[in-house]
Amino acid sequence: MSEISTKPYMLRAIYEWCTDNGYTPHIAVSVDGQTQVPMQFVRNGEIVLNISFDATSGLKMDNDLINFSARFGGVARQISVPVANVIAIYAQENNQGMAFEVTPPGERTDSELDTEASIEPPQASAPKLSSVPAKKSDDGDDTPPGPDDNSPAKKGGRPTLKRIK
């Protein structure tokens, strides 16, 4: 009997942490022939999906597949993502979460291969995610920098977007 990967357990744990803390869990997914997502939203062979309770219906996170129904442009779609294709899971509000190596098709375990027929590699290689350490301010506080790197980050509220030309 082959050993089950820790990845699906970590995905469920980070999802639970996000929901317990009021955060919005998102997953970044490498799209291939076994991934059922709206292709018009795929960029560079990847898609980011909001998997919060409010955005999904019937979310089921198994050891091999993540399945749920979600609306895209007002149209309900059935989404199916192999756990092996999940690149990262994180909270939208603070980007805390976990990144994973995407298992190449030739190195998948027997249980992963049982659920797959043929796999087409994504158009571009998956980016590597890394953590960025917080900058120390003059008063020794470890708060992350604000939008202009001179002011402390806001507590709560909606995130802001700074446009750079």
Side-chain angles (χ1 to χ4, degrees), residues 32 84-85 101-109 112-113 116 119 121-122:
D32 64 15
N85 289 30
E101 291 287 327
V102 174
T103 309
E107 297 177 19
R108 302 228 172 131
T109 65
E112 291 171 330
L113 291 175
E116 300 172 4
I119 297 175

Side-chain angles (χ1 to χ4, degrees), residues 5-18:
S5 169
T6 58
K7 188 174 183 178
Y9 298 93
M10 300 305 285
L11 288 169
R12 289 189 290 265
I14 298 294
Y15 174 85
E16 187 174 331
W17 172 81
C18 286

